Amino acid sequence: MKTTKFLLASMAFCLTQAYAQETTSAVTPTPNPAPNDKAKSASIANERILPAESAVHSNGQVNIKGKAVPYKATAGTQPVWDKDGKVIASLFYTYYQRSDVSQKDKRPLVISFNGGPGSASVWMHVAYTGPKMLNIDDEGYPVQPYGVRDNPHSILDVADIVYIDPVNTGFSRILDPKADRAQFFGVNADIAYLAEWLNTFVSRHSRWNSPKYLIGESYGTTRVSGLAKELQNNHWMYLNGVILVSPTGLGIKRDGPVNDALSLPYYAATAWHHKVLPADLQKRDLNEVLAEVENFTLNDFIPALSKGGFIDPVQRQHIASKVARYAGVSESVILQHNLAMPPAYFWKELLRSRGQTVGRLDSRYLGIDRKEAGSGPDYNAELTSWLHSFTPAINHYLRDVLKYKTDVKYNMFGPVHPWDSSNDNTGENLRLAMAENPYMRLMVQSGYYDGATNYFDAKYTMWQVDPSGKMKDRMEFKGYRSGHMMYLRSEDLATSNEHIREFIKKATPAAGQAAKY
């Protein structure tokens, strides 16, 4: 959803010029038809079956920060095997390699996952770090004609990137109808089979010596936090860094007063954006306001909520007044919720008098409901906007630009339920992986207007990953004036990618620098 409009003819010309397609397609359906069995071949060709093994190669070039960066793109599939070596599923991936770099052992590799669970890799692929980005306006809203254009802020200048679709997302599918779905759809099952798949990918593409980084967005942060330990302890693959974009709670407990309080700074950011704060707060810079609200949240709000119904009435009124002031709603609303207003109610309440709701994943987006009454919005205004622009763009890009031809449907969100969420220890897994590997660094990126995985909750997660504080010099937090996908805002696309560049540089040690404490 970003930046300027493109004319259809101009877009088609640019895409044609950027991709001198030397498409070498090695599409091998599973099972292979007998060479002389034409009837069987025709049958398979007409079925919507993802090939277990395939690869379509093309060349492109993108200008990043004013310099031409040539690259090779591979859109393909690689199998998932069971313990007996039988193909049971196939994962679709898109792999970009800078083509004017010969030494892979010095070239960083960024491994990218989105979340859900059940979400394809589309979001960061064609809107954040990749060489192409959506046709959207500067704030991230859809524009026509749909499609993609060059991303001048891509990190391809400093690292190769692979975008991976887990089972049932994107084009990825289960191929064996008898395969147990439980081996794919759960916190720990997801981590286990993806680590095995990555081991094969790194081996096939000769990337064992490369500095390696994981980046995950939303539930993808749960995935990559668990993968950091799984790759290290069960595949002996050591990482240089992990980037968490709009992170989940990573299994770190925060029930009760802490959970209820952590949303307040997000409420304040949203109220500031929509200009409904009291005048004295509204005229101040957002960062200054948030610093005050964060201090109140930690030192006053959490202790007050901890007292429950036994809080002193005078203190109760004082806290309600302050929370209402920061959240941009009335004191009566805060008191009616026993000081802890739920996010869904906030999305409905903040602009109720204007007849509008605010988005869950990005509260800059506005919606209109059937009626102004109620305790939550009718729909997620931001998600419908995003699907509007992302869906045609990724289907056009993969099929018509990268030339990956298939009748398999591209699942923006795929069927991955029931999902086993038990035994989520991914935060502790990340801590242990960092403790065992002195090279590994962590960066957290969050948008101030994200109400699903709010930025202050993300800060809390980072603090709790390392309760000893002994590794905090290897951790950093970056905040942006946008939402869950902060990169959809043009200004933040540039800044957030630059932060990744700086992170990779810091986390890639100089030659001969030993990994030790």
Side-chain angles (χ1 to χ4, degrees):
M1 310 160 208
K2 234 172 261 335
T3 60
T4 58
K5 294 184 179 180
F6 255 46
L7 294 175
L8 182 59
S10 174
M11 180 185 71
F13 175 80
C14 290
L15 290 174
T16 302
Q17 295 301 309
Y19 281 84
Q21 297 284 8
E22 42 105 356
T23 32
T24 55
S25 177
V27 180
T28 308
T30 301
N32 280 327
N36 298 320
D37 192 343
K38 294 182 180 180
K40 188 174 182 180
S41 296
S43 173
I44 290 175
N46 291 329
E47 292 178 2
R48 292 175 113 185
I49 296 176
L50 185 80
E53 300 259 9
S54 63
V56 179
H57 306 292
S58 57
N59 293 321
Q61 180 172 293
V62 60
N63 286 321
I64 301 174
K65 302 182 72 173
K67 294 184 179 180
V69 177
Y71 62 87
K72 176 183 177 181
T74 302
T77 55
Q78 178 184 290
V80 176
W81 293 274
D82 66 11
K83 59 182 176 58
D84 298 318
K86 177 185 177 183
V87 173
I88 54 174
S90 184
L91 300 192
F92 181 78
Y93 66 90
T94 312
Y95 179 37
Y96 297 97
Q97 303 172 78
R98 183 167 178 166
S99 54
D100 61 350
V101 175
S102 58
Q103 290 183 294
K104 289 184 178 181
D105 58 339
K106 295 182 179 179
R107 177 78 172 160
L109 174 66
V110 173
I111 300 163
S112 182
F113 289 100
N114 272 97
S119 174
S121 65
V122 51
W123 315 99
M124 289 197 290
H125 183 179
V126 293
Y128 192 7
T129 52
K132 296 293 178 180
M133 59 179 284
L134 297 176
N135 287 336
I136 47 180
D137 76 2
D138 284 352
E139 292 298 315
Y141 292 90
V143 296
Q144 288 186 329
Y146 303 119
V148 294
R149 56 191 178 84
D150 283 356
N151 179 4
H153 307 292
S154 170
I155 62 169
L156 192 56
D157 57 332
V158 298
D160 295 338
I161 319 164
V162 58
Y163 301 91
I164 301 162
D165 292 332
V167 167
N168 277 6
T169 74
F171 291 140
S172 300
R173 294 293 189 273
I174 297 172
L175 299 181
D176 181 356
K178 297 180 180 179
D180 183 5
R181 293 169 63 90
Q183 65 190 304
F184 305 114
F185 303 144
V187 173
N188 295 299
D190 177 75
I191 290 166
Y193 90 83
L194 286 173
E196 190 72 35
W197 190 93
L198 282 170
N199 186 307
T200 301
F201 181 88
V202 167
S203 296
R204 285 185 172 189
H205 294 274
S206 302
R207 300 310 296 258
W208 273 99
N209 286 345
S210 301
K212 287 175 279 294
Y213 299 82
L214 296 178
I215 182 170
E217 178 180 277
S218 196
Y219 183 84
T221 62
T222 299
R223 177 174 286 135
V224 300
S225 295
L227 278 170
K229 177 175 176 286
E230 181 72 12
L231 288 170
Q232 186 167 295
N233 288 15
N234 290 326
H235 297 269
W236 311 285
M237 185 184 297
Y238 287 74
L239 304 171
N240 287 66
V242 174
I243 302 168
L244 306 181
V245 180
S246 304
T248 63
L250 306 185
I252 296 169
K253 301 301 181 187
R254 66 197 76 207
D255 297 335
V258 171
N259 182 67
D260 292 338
L262 291 175
S263 294
L264 183 58
Y266 153 72
Y267 293 164
T270 300
W272 183 91
H273 175 78
H274 291 292
K275 296 180 171 55
V276 295
L277 288 179
D280 63 312
L281 289 176
Q282 195 65 57
K283 68 182 182 181
R284 293 160 62 186
D285 182 72
L286 176 61
N287 288 334
E288 185 181 345
V289 172
L290 293 182
E292 178 179 322
V293 181
E294 289 179 17
N295 182 67
F296 169 80
T297 300
L298 292 174
N299 297 311
D300 297 279
F301 196 23
I302 292 175
L305 289 175
S306 299
K307 298 176 183 178
F310 288 79
I311 187 174
D312 178 79
V314 175
Q315 186 188 16
R316 177 186 176 91
Q317 187 63 47
H318 169 72
I319 294 295
S321 175
K322 294 283 280 189
V323 171
R325 170 177 163 80
Y326 291 141
V329 300
S330 69
E331 286 185 31
S332 61
V333 165
I334 301 302
L335 289 168
Q336 287 164 4
H337 287 94
N338 298 325
L339 305 180
M341 176 177 53
Y345 193 90
F346 172 78
W347 302 326
K348 181 78 172 184
E349 176 66 21
L350 183 69
L351 302 181
R352 195 189 297 267
S353 63
R354 300 182 189 175
Q356 296 173 318
T357 62
V358 299
R360 170 178 174 262
L361 292 158
D362 192 328
S363 53
R364 296 175 302 144
Y365 290 73
L366 302 176
I368 50 174
D369 282 358
R370 181 181 179 87
K371 57 185 179 182
E372 293 175 11
S375 58
D378 291 350
Y379 65 99
N380 294 328
E382 77 297 330
L383 190 56
T384 57
S385 176
W386 296 345
L387 288 168
H388 187 162
S389 54
F390 273 93
T391 308
I394 192 64
N395 277 281
H396 158 72
Y397 179 57
L398 294 178
R399 300 173 192 275
D400 301 330
V401 179
L402 295 188
K403 303 298 184 183
Y404 192 87
K405 300 298 185 180
T406 178
D407 287 330
V408 173
K409 176 184 176 183
Y410 189 89
N411 284 339
M412 302 292 286
F413 297 102
V416 300
H417 297 286
W419 188 270
D420 183 1
S421 298
S422 62
N423 300 313
D424 180 355
N425 298 307
T426 51
E428 171 59 18
N429 292 344
L430 179 58
R431 184 205 66 79
L432 184 59
M434 289 189 68
E436 293 176 346
N437 180 2
Y439 275 155
M440 192 187 297
R441 301 182 69 94
L442 172 68
M443 180 167 69
V444 176
Q445 295 183 308
S446 289
Y448 296 133
Y449 307 131
D450 178 5
T453 58
N454 77 74
Y455 89 91
F456 198 52
D457 193 81
K459 279 189 176 182
Y460 180 86
T461 296
M462 184 179 71
W463 297 337
Q464 302 308 313
V465 164
D466 177 30
S468 74
K470 294 176 182 177
M471 297 186 293
K472 64 183 180 182
D473 61 330
R474 289 191 275 147
M475 300 181 178
E476 55 188 299
F477 175 88
K478 302 293 184 182
Y480 309 91
R481 299 188 183 200
S482 43
H484 195 69
M485 295 192 285
M486 75 289 300
Y487 44 83
L488 296 181
R489 180 171 174 257
S490 180
E491 181 180 330
D492 291 325
L493 173 68
T495 305
S496 56
N497 270 314
E498 191 59 30
H499 287 156
I500 295 177
R501 280 190 190 84
E502 294 168 357
F503 177 77
I504 289 174
K505 183 178 180 180
K506 284 187 290 188
T508 303
Q513 181 181 337
K516 65 179 180 179
Y517 290 116

